[in-house]
Amino acid sequence: MVEVTILDYSMKILAKNEFDAEFPGDSIAATKAFAAFMGRFGQATNTLSFSFSLLGTSFIIRRLGLNYTIIAFPSCCLAAIVGVYMVPNLWTVFCAMLLLKGFSYSLNNPCKEILYQVTSKGTKFKAKSWIDVFGARGSKAAGSLVTNAFSDSAADLLTYGAYVAMGVSSFLIYVAWQMGKMFDEYVATGYVVGEEAPSAEELAKQAQLEGDTSLGLEEEGQTDDDQQVKV
């Protein structure tokens, strides 16, 4: 979310500067043009997200597997930021934000939810609470620190902000790769994160129950004396 916050702010700054230059001295027309631009951006993002969720998400996950699919979003982030750094204009940032926002909803979020399959209910509740409250808000706050530091110059924001975003995206690719490997390993072994391993006594009791097929019922024609003799 750090890189998305940086690109989002950059897009809005570039759009405002472009429409102010297009309508000099007419703040109302510039504001209307900016609002129309953001409206088109929202429509394009939602259309891409809906279409990809409907037709592409499950296909890609089945075809590539979670281990490779989960690194697709941070890789897309890195590619988009490199593109913005090389061609720093409004429409490049617009296309980059369109891809990142659309794939965040339709590809990245489903992959994150799949990772919870190897966790217990308690662990999932705690992890989601921390990620949704502190993780998401903290990453946006970190991105805001970068945008605030270079808010005086759009050129500096696109240049130095891109360096920060590239570093974060590269780190996320590594983390996503490790999470995919751990997920495959836990699925193969049946390990559940946050679930306590059964003790030796519990395993012995379970084995005893599995070996006893009488379910506590007397066999037909068998008396209590016969059972005591067998014992």
Side-chain angles (χ1 to χ4, degrees), residues 55-178:
L55 303 174
T57 302
S58 60
F59 172 77
I60 290 180
I61 293 176
R62 289 197 307 267
R63 190 67 178 268
L64 300 180
L66 184 67
N67 197 9
Y68 290 98
T69 306
I70 199 172
I71 68 174
F73 179 72
S75 300
C76 182
C77 287
L78 181 60
I81 294 163
V82 170
V84 170
Y85 178 77
M86 296 178 64
V87 187
N89 59 49
L90 175 60
W91 296 107
T92 304
V93 179
F94 178 89
C95 293
M97 279 298 301
L98 175 63
L99 294 176
L100 295 187
K101 284 281 189 178
F103 290 148
S104 174
Y105 298 135
S106 60
L107 188 62
N108 190 51
N109 288 348
C111 288
K112 288 194 302 182
E113 294 299 321
I114 293 175
L115 290 176
Y116 290 119
Q117 291 181 359
V118 294
T119 63
S120 63
K121 290 184 179 180
T123 301
K124 177 181 178 180
F125 175 77
K126 294 176 183 178
K128 282 183 67 67
S129 299
W130 192 93
I131 291 172
D132 295 340
V133 177
F134 297 102
R137 302 287 83 77
S139 61
K140 287 187 177 181
S144 298
L145 290 176
V146 177
T147 57
N148 184 63
F150 304 107
S151 59
D152 295 336
S153 172
D156 289 344
L157 178 60
L158 289 173
T159 301
Y160 299 110
Y163 293 151
V164 175
M166 288 178 194
V168 173
S169 297
S170 300
F171 176 71
L172 288 179
I173 291 174
Y174 171 76
V175 172
W177 177 255
Q178 291 297 321

